[in-house]
Amino acid sequence: MIPRNSLNIELDSNNVTRFQSALLEWFDANGREFTWRREDTPCYDQVLAELMLQRTRAASVQHHIESILEAYPSWEAILRAGPEQLGRDFRPLGLWKRRAASLTALASEMLARGGSFPDNRDELLALPAIGQYMANAILLITKGQPLPLLDANMARVLERYFGFERTRVDIRSDPILQRSASQVLDTLDPKKLNWAILDMGALVCKPSNPVCDSCPLASRFATRGYT
């Protein structure tokens, strides 16, 4: 177990490679299929899907995304609708009454920018509706940067496999978790590996009652008492 105060950790590169290979192989056979994961999906559609996925189950987003994209095929359509209409149309996804105003503000900013997101992370974080997760998602989607889509599922898989403890309750501010996730995602296909880790956490490496018999990493987890 990596001690709580070891903030300058470097994960073993061979262990990282084994983790990457096992997860990608598992994903090829077991990964979930979502509209926003198709190779021909436009960047706008992928970004909107990631915005919808905030605190919303992926299955629910998949159920509604085609109708949402039909109604809102562009930033201009979002801006034209306004917060009240957005709140009504996105209501099945939950929490959207509060987020509709920030999405409208983001649409206004994107139109002013000609539809292009900034390359600079600090500039991204200054945009409406863009937090740490979304900044990573946008740079991953639009620029191909190897950044982690770090949520509770990914955090759990990484913690269990690599055997470190968080130093903070909030994963966004945990230095060990952030650094480790970035190291793991430094690969030739970071988007696919992100999806593989997220699906592993959602389908197999669950918070309780994990399906260890179906886990390609189970032998490693077993040495840490997770099976």
Side-chain angles (χ1 to χ4, degrees), residues 164-183:
F164 55 79
E165 294 180 327
R166 296 187 202 177
T167 60
R168 310 279 176 83
V169 174
D170 188 342
I171 63 176
R172 295 171 298 180
S173 61
D174 188 286
I176 291 180
L177 188 53
Q178 291 289 339
R179 190 175 296 114
S180 299
S182 294
Q183 184 182 345

Side-chain angles (χ1 to χ4, degrees), residues 5 20 38-39 43 48 58 66 111 115 135 139 168 170-171 176 181 188 194 209 211:
N5 61 354
Q20 293 168 337
R38 297 171 184 164
E39 290 187 8
C43 285
L48 188 60
E66 290 190 9
L111 285 175
L139 291 172
R168 310 279 176 83
D170 188 342
I171 63 176
I176 291 180
L188 294 177
N194 265 297
N209 301 316
V211 190

Side-chain angles (χ1 to χ4, degrees), residues 1-2 11 15 19 23 150-166 176-177 180 184 197 199-213 215 217-227:
M1 181 73 70
I2 296 171
L11 300 179
N15 201 14
F19 176 87
L23 263 292
L150 186 56
D151 67 356
N153 280 332
M154 180 176 290
R156 183 170 59 257
V157 173
L158 295 179
E159 287 172 326
R160 287 179 174 178
Y161 182 82
F162 292 103
F164 55 79
E165 294 180 327
R166 296 187 202 177
I176 291 180
L177 188 53
S180 299
V184 168
I197 300 172
D199 286 6
M200 172 61 62
L203 301 176
V204 178
C205 193
K206 302 176 183 180
S208 58
N209 301 316
V211 190
C212 297
D213 290 343
C215 179
L217 307 169
S219 61
R220 177 75 175 179
F221 286 166
T223 66
R224 303 191 184 283
Y226 289 110
T227 58

Side-chain angles (χ1 to χ4, degrees), residues 61-93:
V61 174
Q62 177 62 34
H63 182 72
H64 295 285
I65 192 168
E66 290 190 9
S67 60
I68 290 292
L69 287 172
E70 183 176 353
Y72 300 102
S74 65
W75 296 115
E76 183 179 8
I78 290 175
L79 184 61
R80 187 167 56 245
E84 291 189 10
Q85 184 63 47
L86 285 173
R88 288 192 292 270
D89 290 346
F90 283 76
R91 185 178 300 161
L93 297 171

